[in-house]
Amino acid sequence: MSKQNAFYAQSGGVTSVINASACGVIETARKHSDKIGTVYAGQNGIIGALVEELIDTNAISEQDVAALRHTPGGAFGSCRYKLKDMETHREQYERLIEVFKAHDIGYFFYNGGNDSADTCLKVSQISEKLGYPIKAIHVPKTVDNDLPITDTCPGFGSVAKYIALSTMEAGLDIQSMCETSTKVFILEVMGRHAGWIAAAGGLAQQAEGQPPHIIIFPEIAFDRVAFMKKVDQSVKDNGYCVIVVSEGAHYEDGTFIADAGTKDAFGHTQLGGVAPTLANMVREDLGYKYHWAVADYLQRAARHISSRTDVEQAYAVGQAAVEMAVAGKNAVMPAIIRKSNAPFEWVIEEAPLDKVANVEKFMPRDFITEDGFGITEACREYLEPLIRGEAELPYDEKTGLPTYVRLSHQLAEKKLPEFKA
């Protein structure tokens, strides 16, 4: 195989460890300098390829590349942009080929979740449909933990740790004040269709009666009467009630509790505030004093509380993606396969991309308690290894803040006419 350049990009909502995957890709590619020349990073995801805004990672020092491993956010910019089908939007794919040819790109690494896997699969088909040889590898990432085949998705373990700890600490706060103040606290977490993040809040409960007292999953249809009965009983039994709710909680007919009435760039329903909606229900039905919070971007940006397991797995999938590409693989994803819980052991294996793209992995029913408001021991055994370990972080002695790297992007010279993405 002749030496060619590579394209890497980040897509969708970023995580506290997506840059660790970027670090894995770039460092591993540099070790394969006999097969991979320059790694070009797309500025703002796949859009960077379409508009030919390619960041030359050769200009990034080894020290700064290494620092990506502990830096949150998306160092090269991300996007929510889904390629349409090749039949109706052929010009997009022809443009990609023009850019790939102009910059001698033979490897494509796309770091993202479900929709990104679909984009990567479409790019992998360029070889067959348009006659341009490209090795396309999907690098898994999503805080929602809803990619199939892989045991977990890099980004999830750190969010799970953040939510478990936030639930535990907020619970202690509410318990302290419940006699004369707040009786009900509601924490809204991410998760459109899958309740993995909400489930992680359940790890805070170390004994009966401890928070969270209620978890609301997208997998279980919301029943207002049953919910209110559970809230009221918790306040009577414990003096307070802590609730973790997934943003995607919905009624029996599928209507989201927090449907904002708009769509995002991928065509998904825009969700807008299930926590305050539930809080108003509690006020109307029970009259308890309440507080609510939305973890929002904080949960996925919190590198200071990232799990060591998550960082290690994020780097490993980036590394494995390059190894698979130089071995001639195409249309695959490095998947994390769990070998055992105790001790916690895992390996990386190939997953066919056509079995990953546009497929969501939901919470198994046996991970949710019979009443639908908590997690089972099986779920706890699955989750606990993912949040273990503290990921080391360098701090500045003067400011007391972490030293995150901020890259100065050096763009490759454009060789083609402008294109509107």
Side-chain angles (χ1 to χ4, degrees):
M1 183 188 297
S2 60
K3 182 173 178 176
Q4 284 188 290
N5 299 322
F7 175 86
Y8 165 82
Q10 299 170 326
S11 178
V14 295
T15 78
S16 68
V17 301
I18 190 173
N19 288 333
S21 293
C23 178
V25 168
I26 296 169
E27 288 188 343
T28 308
R30 288 180 177 184
K31 292 176 182 176
H32 287 280
S33 57
D34 58 325
K35 294 183 177 179
I36 300 178
T38 300
V39 175
Y40 292 113
Q43 184 156 277
N44 302 321
I46 192 67
I47 293 174
L50 291 170
V51 302
E52 200 185 1
E53 291 182 350
L54 308 178
I55 299 164
D56 183 354
T57 69
N58 277 354
I60 305 173
S61 69
E62 288 186 10
Q63 182 180 2
D64 282 353
V65 170
L68 288 174
R69 187 174 175 125
H70 67 255
T71 299
F76 304 106
S78 187
C79 69
R80 294 194 183 278
Y81 186 93
K82 189 171 183 177
L83 290 176
K84 305 297 190 294
D85 64 275
M86 199 176 296
E87 285 68 32
T88 59
H89 288 75
R90 189 182 180 93
E91 72 279 0
Q92 287 185 327
Y93 297 89
E94 291 176 342
R95 171 63 176 188
L96 287 177
I97 290 177
E98 288 176 357
V99 173
F100 293 163
K101 282 182 177 178
H103 297 274
D104 193 23
I105 292 170
Y107 304 96
F108 181 91
F109 303 107
Y110 210 44
N111 201 171
N114 302 80
D115 290 303
S116 305
D118 177 71
T119 294
C120 193
L121 179 62
K122 286 171 178 171
V123 170
S124 76
Q125 296 165 346
I126 285 178
S127 299
E128 179 182 344
K129 295 188 176 182
L130 298 179
Y132 182 81
I134 188 86
K135 300 291 185 291
I137 312 293
H138 179 238
V139 185
K141 169 251 35 160
T142 174
V143 296
D144 291 331
N145 199 40
D146 59 355
L147 287 172
I149 303 177
T150 186
D151 174 71
T152 186
C153 304
F156 169 69
S158 296
V159 169
K161 187 163 188 156
Y162 179 93
I163 295 302
L165 188 57
S166 296
T167 303
M168 178 180 285
E169 293 176 337
L172 289 167
D173 185 300
I174 303 303
Q175 183 181 22
S176 303
M177 298 291 293
C178 66
E179 183 66 27
T180 58
S181 186
T182 302
K183 300 288 189 186
V184 177
F185 175 71
I186 304 170
L187 176 62
E188 177 181 329
V189 304
M190 288 179 171
R192 176 175 298 276
H193 299 128
W196 296 103
I197 299 177
L203 293 176
Q205 188 184 77
Q206 302 292 304
E208 189 173 346
Q210 292 182 0
H213 306 102
I214 299 173
I215 303 174
I216 301 178
F217 305 94
E219 289 85 355
I220 304 293
F222 178 71
D223 181 328
R224 182 166 176 165
V225 173
F227 170 67
M228 290 303 166
K229 184 178 178 180
K230 187 81 171 176
V231 172
D232 196 35
Q233 192 63 53
S234 176
V235 173
K236 286 181 168 63
D237 291 346
N238 308 299
Y240 68 112
C241 181
V242 172
I243 301 155
V244 178
V245 57
S246 174
E247 64 181 352
H250 61 82
Y251 296 101
E252 187 70 47
D253 66 0
T255 303
F256 290 112
I257 295 174
D259 187 340
T262 56
K263 303 287 185 181
D264 68 10
F266 287 140
H268 303 313
T269 298
Q270 199 79 38
L271 302 179
V274 67
T277 302
L278 288 181
N280 281 328
M281 290 182 188
V282 169
R283 177 182 55 80
E284 291 169 357
D285 294 8
L286 301 175
Y288 289 132
K289 184 174 181 180
Y290 62 81
H291 270 269
W292 56 266
V294 181
D296 202 48
Y297 284 8
L298 299 179
Q299 63 200 299
R300 75 185 197 198
R303 180 56 180 79
H304 66 282
I305 196 67
S306 290
S307 126
R308 186 174 68 238
T309 296
D310 196 24
V311 174
E312 290 173 352
Q313 292 184 334
Y315 185 92
V317 295
Q319 180 181 42
V322 175
E323 299 286 359
M324 290 177 185
V326 297
K329 305 294 182 179
N330 185 34
V332 296
M333 177 189 82
I336 299 163
I337 306 299
R338 186 181 304 217
K339 293 299 185 180
S340 70
N341 282 329
F344 180 51
E345 295 178 347
W346 52 276
V347 296
I348 301 289
E349 296 181 2
E350 292 175 23
L353 210 44
D354 60 357
K355 303 295 184 186
V356 175
N358 301 311
V359 178
E360 289 181 285
K361 177 179 70 178
F362 304 111
M363 288 269 294
R365 187 60 183 86
D366 67 352
F367 275 22
I368 303 172
T369 53
E370 190 174 345
D371 68 0
F373 289 124
I375 63 170
T376 63
E377 191 58 33
C379 183
R380 188 177 295 273
E381 289 176 0
Y382 167 79
L383 291 171
E384 283 181 341
L386 304 179
I387 73 167
R388 285 188 197 139
E390 283 60 61
E392 291 185 6
L393 198 58
Y395 280 83
D396 184 291
E397 290 186 5
K398 180 181 177 183
T399 66
L401 296 172
T403 53
Y404 296 141
V405 65
R406 295 179 183 272
L407 303 178
S408 296
H409 294 164
Q410 181 174 313
L411 296 178
E413 182 181 351
K414 290 190 176 185
K415 302 180 181 181
L416 300 170
E418 286 191 13
F419 180 87
K420 185 173 177 59

